[in-house]
Amino acid sequence: MCGIVGYVGKSKCVPKIISGLESLEYRGYDSAGIAYVTNESIKIKKEQGRIKVLKDSLNMNEESYMGIGHTRWATHGKPCKVNSHPHQVGDITIVHNGIIENYEELKNNLKEYKFKSETDSEVVAALIDKLYHEDKDIIKVLSKLKDYLIGSYALGILVNGDDNIYAIRKDSPLIIGISEDGNFIASDVPAILEYTNMYYLLLNDEFALISKDDVVIYDKNGEISTKSLMTFEGSKEAAMKNGYDHYMLKEIYEQPKVVMETIKEYILDYKHLKERMKGLEKYDAIDIVGCGSAYHVGLVGKSLIMKYGKVPVYVDIASEYRYTEHIYSKKHLIILISQSGETADTLAVLREAKQQGIDTLAIVNVVGSSIAREAHKVLYIKAGPEIAVATTKAYLCQLMMLSLIALYLGINKGTLDKKIINEYDNMDLLLEKELENKKELEDIAKLIYKNKDIFYLGRKIDYSLCMEASLKLKEVSYLHSEAYAAGELKHGTISLIEDKTPVISIITDDDIRLKTLSNVKEVCARGALSIIISNEDVLDKSLYTKLIKIPKVHELIGSALVMVKCQLIAYYVARLNGCDIDKPRNLAKSVTVE
Ligand code: G6P
């Protein structure tokens, strides 16, 4: 999604804005632009494609100390120079993240303006310009902007002849970074970390005036509000590549550490687990909602919570759930899963649930994000900044969190012994061991990377893992990959199995092992290139070309061991295909539009 960076201060602004935008590349974008103030005027440069193209077109040494920059992920109008931000209309120059739903209606009332782009954002620039010429007071304009706009927006604004940057937000994230040298606006903390770790979080309908040595924040009524300064706790290194070729690989290898940190935060012993999870036992129905990988991890959670917690669990994709009729019990809980805590559809489900009086629990990575702030209760995972668009470490930490919920409920319901807690003690070592043997996964990648179709097969919890494994593969390598419930394949999709079609089967569930193996036999009989990931030996060697053996551990933690193998397969396949692994085409990390 779009990224915003602005700076006003004692240093030249162009290098700071460009490096800030580069730190936000992970959000996904297709064009980039900058507006900076010089002695004569506000200058604007925009380019389609990567930030590097924009950078090459700029004088990085420009005598300019205030500016705003933007990376655009196209929504209204195709990715091209004219649709890129910043947009300048009259005295107003803006960068925008979000979607203005009533832009056509607004446009109809702005007939005196001639629009150059197809964007909703240019309409906002025109609206602000019109109001500014009526009121001659930008603070007054910003305090009433919410009365005009329907939708989501984070805006960075320059006004001709004014020494300040202005910022306003509703439902799209925006922070204000504070440093001795000057002040920033940004969509996310990594953009400012090179210069400062101190920031204010702008809340919905708040707006701000940012000057080189001051920040004034206004509440939704236009009154000056006092806010506490926040400090980003993680190191800057946590958001850097640290010698790895890609963030995705670095984040895969960080998993032993961050998973263990997540575990330790919630279980030192049973007393501690009880303190952190208290109250969850009172629910008689749970809905789990998320998007993408967060939805997939919810499916794994469903298997574990139903089996051990003995509570009915329903899982759905947020963009479906929010438009579906639901029947809630009196003791119903909705668990919202989101790495970013800003995903528009997940946030909408949360707000709707609260309106209906349903209890909500958020499993979130980004501290202080909208979903974390608005849910009744939040369980933070400890993944740290995740930069690669394709999630790895956040997924695994979410998986652990759901496993801990199942553990707590299981102990509570008497299906699990408290001793199971010890199983989590060596989770970091177990994961490290599984990450050691990357050669076998590179070899598998070499076997499959040229194929056009790849299938993942599994049943029950293994099927849920297949869905994430398959998504990982297709999003970073652009190969067509599908996850199939092993028993369902023969009801149609088996027709796609040809000689040497790769089929990766995940088989960790003892109850259903033989059934899945029968399905493996069926695809082998049709010439499939079979790869099996299993926690047991497969005696019939004709059933696979490669067997990836993982240790047999308790089901509550076994899924994590499978997933690190699948993540590495996806990574190496993408690498062999020369893909842009950290920033796959068309994808965005934080999807703040519906
Ligand atoms: C995007 C990302 C996915 C992520 C999904 C949900 O599609 O590319 O990796 O799973 O959004 O994001 P969230 O921040 O809510 O977990």
Side-chain angles (χ1 to χ4, degrees):
M1 291 293 111
C2 305
I4 291 176
V5 181
Y7 170 80
V8 50
K10 297 175 195 142
S11 302
K12 292 181 176 166
C13 73
V14 176
K16 283 195 156 62
I17 293 170
I18 293 295
S19 82
L21 289 177
E22 283 168 342
S23 313
L24 295 182
E25 279 195 292
Y26 67 88
R27 295 169 69 84
Y29 69 100
D30 35 54
S31 50
I34 183 170
Y36 51 90
V37 181
T38 66
N39 276 340
E40 311 94 60
S41 61
I42 296 180
K43 291 198 171 143
I44 297 180
K45 284 266 185 193
K46 334 191 210 192
E47 293 293 342
Q48 191 184 335
R50 293 294 177 212
I51 292 169
K52 168 132 194 356
V53 185
L54 174 69
K55 200 171 167 180
D56 290 346
S57 76
L58 287 168
N59 170 10
M60 294 298 281
N61 209 17
E62 192 80 53
E63 284 294 333
S64 169
Y65 299 86
M66 177 165 84
I68 50 178
H70 189 265
T71 46
R72 173 173 186 255
W73 189 81
T75 56
H76 292 63
K78 61 181 182 295
C80 65
K81 217 162 164 168
V82 73
N83 285 338
S84 314
H85 300 216
H87 290 287
Q88 189 171 51
V89 180
D91 283 324
I92 302 297
T93 306
I94 69 160
V95 287
H96 168 221
N97 172 18
I99 285 187
I100 304 302
E101 290 164 13
N102 61 333
Y103 82 104
E104 300 219 52
E105 187 191 324
L106 292 170
K107 205 169 178 175
N108 277 336
N109 295 326
L110 291 162
K111 292 245 162 51
E112 61 273 43
Y113 290 90
K114 227 173 143 31
F115 293 95
K116 294 184 214 122
S117 76
E118 302 159 87
T119 65
D120 52 342
S121 311
E122 194 185 8
V123 177
V124 178
L127 172 69
I128 298 176
D129 185 67
K130 183 175 177 175
L131 297 174
Y132 178 62
H133 281 101
E134 283 168 12
D135 285 330
K136 311 271 182 294
D137 178 351
I138 190 73
I139 296 297
K140 213 166 161 188
V141 171
L142 293 178
S143 66
K144 62 185 188 187
L145 198 60
K146 61 178 180 309
D147 304 334
Y148 292 83
L149 300 181
I150 300 176
S152 59
Y153 47 89
L155 296 171
I157 306 165
L158 297 177
V159 181
N160 269 351
D162 192 320
D163 291 340
N164 310 308
I165 297 176
Y166 299 90
I168 185 166
R169 77 156 274 195
K170 182 177 165 265
D171 292 342
S172 289
L174 203 67
I175 59 157
I176 299 168
I178 308 296
S179 84
E180 297 255 300
D181 174 74
N183 299 318
F184 296 82
I185 57 168
S187 298
D188 200 356
V189 177
I192 59 165
L193 274 186
E194 205 175 326
Y195 310 104
T196 179
N197 64 349
M198 314 268 277
Y199 65 97
Y200 293 110
L201 195 68
L202 211 57
L203 298 182
N204 270 353
D205 295 325
E206 288 182 337
F207 60 96
L209 174 157
I210 301 109
S211 65
K212 71 178 186 330
D213 36 34
D214 200 12
V215 169
V216 185
I217 297 177
Y218 297 84
D219 68 16
K220 61 175 179 217
N221 303 315
E223 304 289 333
I224 293 179
S225 87
T226 36
K227 259 184 177 299
S228 43
L229 203 55
M230 300 182 69
T231 310
F232 178 74
E233 284 170 14
S235 64
K236 189 183 145 218
E237 286 65 42
M240 308 303 244
K241 260 193 230 159
N242 279 352
Y244 284 92
D245 289 347
H246 296 96
Y247 281 112
M248 183 179 178
L249 194 61
K250 178 204 163 210
E251 287 162 6
I252 288 173
Y253 277 89
E254 268 174 7
Q255 293 180 114
K257 181 168 163 273
V258 295
V259 161
M260 209 56 209
E261 277 167 14
T262 303
I263 291 171
K264 279 200 198 132
E265 179 74 21
Y266 292 90
I267 40 166
L268 296 171
D269 51 33
Y270 177 64
K271 193 166 154 263
H272 186 224
L273 178 70
K274 199 168 158 189
E275 271 163 24
R276 304 304 309 263
M277 301 280 173
K278 206 160 174 241
L280 294 184
E281 66 283 358
K282 72 173 183 226
Y283 297 104
D284 58 17
I286 297 176
D287 293 356
I288 303 180
V289 182
C291 301
S293 301
Y295 161 67
H296 292 159
V297 84
L299 293 169
V300 177
K302 170 185 170 163
S303 295
L304 298 175
I305 294 171
M306 293 230 300
K307 181 163 178 181
Y308 299 108
K310 299 288 172 207
V311 194
V313 179
Y314 170 74
V315 188
D316 206 351
I317 297 161
S319 55
E320 287 293 311
Y321 188 94
R322 62 182 290 201
Y323 300 112
T324 309
E325 293 284 318
H326 298 284
I327 299 157
Y328 293 117
S329 78
K330 284 214 174 72
K331 294 182 215 150
H332 212 107
L333 175 71
I334 300 187
I335 301 181
L336 293 311
I337 305 180
S338 176
Q339 185 284 127
S340 62
E342 299 291 349
T343 301
D345 283 310
T346 313
L347 183 59
V349 171
L350 165 67
R351 288 182 178 159
E352 178 62 24
K354 281 178 77 182
Q355 256 182 13
Q356 295 204 35
I358 311 296
D359 285 358
T360 56
L361 164 71
I363 297 179
V364 173
N365 190 32
V366 177
V367 177
S369 53
S370 302
I371 293 174
R373 280 197 324 271
E374 293 185 30
H376 293 107
K377 184 178 164 79
V378 56
L379 299 176
Y380 279 114
I381 56 167
K382 296 279 165 184
E386 191 178 60
I387 309 293
V389 168
T391 179
T392 52
K393 60 175 181 168
Y395 170 94
L396 223 65
C397 290
Q398 290 160 350
L399 195 155
M400 270 307 129
M401 189 60 77
L402 290 164
S403 161
L404 294 181
I405 292 175
L407 170 73
Y408 172 69
L409 294 177
I411 295 174
N412 217 277
K413 298 272 162 75
T415 60
L416 290 170
D417 193 283
K418 280 186 194 156
K419 280 201 294 243
I420 303 285
I421 289 180
N422 302 334
E423 302 269 339
Y424 292 81
D425 286 352
N426 296 323
M427 198 61 213
D428 47 352
L429 301 179
L430 279 169
L431 286 169
E432 265 166 28
K433 185 111 200 2
E434 291 319 297
L435 286 166
E436 256 168 31
N437 191 0
K438 55 184 184 138
K439 169 88 175 48
E440 66 173 355
L441 305 162
E442 277 182 292
D443 288 347
I444 287 172
K446 281 181 195 150
L447 274 180
I448 65 177
Y449 80 101
K450 284 191 179 145
N451 283 78
K452 61 179 196 326
D453 301 304
I454 292 177
F455 293 88
Y456 274 91
L457 286 192
R459 287 171 182 254
K460 296 169 68 186
I461 201 167
D462 292 332
Y463 173 41
S464 307
L465 294 172
C466 284
M467 290 170 83
E468 175 60 11
S470 171
L471 178 69
K472 212 77 326 185
L473 183 67
K474 76 180 120 194
E475 62 186 342
V476 295
S477 76
Y478 313 149
L479 296 190
H480 168 240
S481 161
E482 268 188 65
Y484 246 80
E488 182 67 9
L489 193 77
K490 57 171 125 355
H491 296 290
T493 307
I494 201 164
S495 65
L496 297 177
I497 306 290
E498 293 173 355
D499 198 32
K500 301 277 179 301
T501 304
V503 176
I504 305 178
S505 307
I506 299 178
I507 314 177
T508 64
D509 186 333
D510 286 338
D511 296 344
I512 209 84
R513 179 177 305 277
L514 295 178
K515 300 274 178 210
T516 308
L517 280 172
S518 302
N519 303 127
V520 175
K521 260 189 203 126
E522 290 160 6
V523 294
C524 285
R526 276 131 191 115
L529 172 83
S530 166
I531 295 156
I532 296 179
I533 304 176
S534 172
N535 54 5
E536 268 191 17
D537 279 323
V538 177
L539 298 179
D540 183 349
K541 304 240 177 319
S542 71
L543 290 186
Y544 60 85
T545 303
K546 293 267 182 200
L547 173 71
I548 304 173
K549 199 55 201 308
I550 57 157
K552 202 156 180 90
V553 292
H554 197 284
E555 190 183 18
L556 282 168
I557 58 175
S559 301
L561 307 184
V562 173
M563 192 45 63
V564 296
K565 300 289 189 191
C566 299
Q567 293 166 345
L568 281 174
I569 293 175
Y571 174 80
Y572 288 121
V573 170
R575 201 180 168 124
L576 285 168
N577 280 315
C579 299
D580 194 353
I581 297 181
D582 287 333
K583 303 181 285 287
R585 68 179 177 218
N586 305 337
L587 294 185
K589 176 113 192 117
S590 174
V591 182
T592 48
V593 296
E594 293 175 23

